[in-house]
DNA sequence: GCTATAACTGAATCCTGGTTCATTTTTTAC
DNA sequence: GTAAAAAATGAACCAGGATTCAGTTATAGC
């Protein structure tokens, strides 16, 4: 006979699954390299190492889920913010603003997406390259529209969009690695202005 | 009694050391992740794995030497090119130009410095963070000078310099990963213009 | 309460790949 | 040519960590 799970058990398992994911994010955000162990995650989640494998197929699958998870979260935040504006420049500016602020607020997310992600991106079968492209294409579409509206000088929109995203990665990474206090307000403005000028806002 | 190496042996060993380094660079540039094995390097260099350890203390030391090596090479090229100009804008433009062209020509160097380097940067005790900072400071000094000369609008020069370098990494990385043909001329111009406008060239 | 099934445990297994070292080959110095 | 020293070899060793699985505990259904 096959037993069915009760709601109570289902709820407990769902909770544990989330607990493991949370522990994984913590661990991943802590030790910068791709060196974390399943054992450390299990420990942090308060389970036996074997139990981990009842919830996730293997390490690779876990990483994939964590990254997709965080990425989806970030993307949703950006999309929501963009929806508030109609002018493309405003959309762009809003994207930048919310992106920076989210990363500043959710350091864990920033660390995993910015530091960890590029590593695994090359290690694991490139399941994630699309994420990179997604983000760049996002910006590219805005630039294309601005080009169509003749509001910025001619340029290779893909290259510009790539450069645009690159400024973020680099700046956020430098912030993640630094201990010193940063004047966020000024830094943020500089970054936004840099890219606005970069694409050629008149 | 202690024997002395003859010139012939010294020469042979020097040659072999270089051969191992070359093999290492090849292997590192090939498999994108930090997953290469000493065995594969030894094989490519035509030696036994044990022999590797007669020439390099261990894997970490090898990586350090390779990265420092390539970085020094790149830096020398940039410095030489910069020396040809006096105006800061020209220096900046020249740096960009020679950097891109070098990376395009020496794909191996690009792959190791751009893909591989960030990985190990976090993995290994941060012996390399200074490289990152060096490069950014390079640009920062130019920006500071332009600010002093009142030729660009007020900005946080460190953030701008970081953003500047970021555009390169991102764009070069996208080129390294793409299979498609790229119109280098246009792409290159877009990238240079992006940064020139970005810092606020009037 | 009782038994079949499912969930959990953590020690044991397995694999990968860096590093070592006893042995073999080459070089030195006479 | 020969014996001591150095260099080279590659199989064996070893560590770390992912994954498994036999044994234990909890749950389901009656």
């Amino acid at each position: 006979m096959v037993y069915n799970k009760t709601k109570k058990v289902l709820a407990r398992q769902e909770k544990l699954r989330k607990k493991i994911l949370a522990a994984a994010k913590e661990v991943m955000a802590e030790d910068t390299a791709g060196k974390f162990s399943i054992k450390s995650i299990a420990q942090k989640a308060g389970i036996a190492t074997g139990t981990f494998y009842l919830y996730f197929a293997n390490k690779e699958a876990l990483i994939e889920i964590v990254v997709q998870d965080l990425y989806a979260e970030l993307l949703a935040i950006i999309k929501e913010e963009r929806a508030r504006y109609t002018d493309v420049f405003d959309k762009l500016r809003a994207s930048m603003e919310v992106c920076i602020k989210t990363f500043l607020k959710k350091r864990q997310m920033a660390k995993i997406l910015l530091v960890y992600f590029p590593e695994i991106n090359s290690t694991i079968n490139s399941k994630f390259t699309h994420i990179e492209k997604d983000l760049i294409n996002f910006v590219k579409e805005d630039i294309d529209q601005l080009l169509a509206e003749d509001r910025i000088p001619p340029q290779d929109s893909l290259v510009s969009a790539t450069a645009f995203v690159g400024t973020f990665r680099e700046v956020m990474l430098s912030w993640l690695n630094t201990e010193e206090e940063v004047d966020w307000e000024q830094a943020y403005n500089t970054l936004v202005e840099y890219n606005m000028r970069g694409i050629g806002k008149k």
Side-chain angles (χ1 to χ4, degrees), chain A:
Chain A
M1 183 199 272
V2 176
Y3 293 151
N4 290 319
K5 297 174 182 177
T6 61
K7 276 183 196 167
K8 192 178 155 194
V9 170
L10 272 174
R12 169 160 55 78
Q13 292 190 332
E14 182 54 25
K15 205 170 146 194
L16 181 51
R17 189 189 143 86
K18 283 189 181 146
K19 195 172 178 185
I20 296 174
L21 273 178
K25 285 176 189 172
E26 264 189 74
V27 170
M28 283 169 74
E30 275 166 23
D31 90 346
T32 339
K35 301 280 184 214
F36 71 87
S37 66
I38 298 301
K39 199 176 280 183
S40 66
I41 291 177
Q43 199 165 13
K44 187 152 280 188
I47 56 173
T49 56
T51 308
F52 171 86
Y53 288 90
L54 297 175
Y55 287 81
F56 298 92
N58 51 38
K59 193 179 183 177
E60 193 174 324
L62 169 78
I63 294 174
E64 191 185 332
I65 289 166
V66 166
V67 170
Q68 297 281 16
D69 225 36
L70 290 174
Y71 174 64
E73 190 182 340
L74 174 66
L75 216 55
I77 293 172
I78 294 178
K79 276 190 178 160
E80 189 190 334
E81 193 61 23
R82 286 172 62 87
R84 297 166 173 275
Y85 303 90
T86 48
D87 185 89
V88 188
F89 274 130
D90 293 336
K91 278 182 190 289
L92 262 182
R93 187 182 296 273
S95 307
M96 286 192 262
E97 190 170 325
V98 76
C99 188
I100 291 181
K101 292 200 169 148
T102 302
F103 276 155
L104 286 179
K105 191 162 61 183
K106 306 192 178 191
R107 188 161 268 246
Q108 206 180 71
M109 176 195 271
K111 204 131 196 184
I112 294 174
L113 284 185
L114 292 173
V115 181
Y116 202 76
F117 174 77
E119 277 175 40
I120 49 174
N121 202 8
S122 46
T123 309
I124 299 177
N125 51 58
S126 47
K127 243 173 208 159
F128 300 121
T129 39
H130 78 92
I131 290 185
E132 204 80 55
K133 285 181 188 158
D134 276 6
L135 224 43
I136 290 173
N137 265 320
F138 226 134
V139 179
K140 179 177 179 295
E141 278 167 27
D142 287 345
I143 293 177
D144 280 335
Q145 191 176 335
L146 288 168
L147 280 171
E149 292 173 2
D150 199 26
R151 298 171 71 187
I152 54 175
Q155 57 197 277
D156 183 324
S157 62
L158 181 57
V159 172
S160 289
T162 309
F164 190 104
V165 170
T167 64
F168 277 82
R169 199 216 291 283
E170 194 81 26
V171 170
M172 290 302 317
L173 273 175
S174 78
W175 286 348
L176 282 178
N177 292 329
T178 193
E179 305 292 317
E180 306 148 38
E181 277 303 304
V182 179
D183 178 349
W184 305 115
E185 209 54 42
Q186 188 187 5
Y188 161 74
N189 281 326
T190 292
L191 186 53
V192 172
E193 290 312 317
Y194 192 95
N195 284 305
M196 283 301 188
R197 281 195 301 262
I199 61 176
K201 187 183 183 192
K202 287 161 193 163

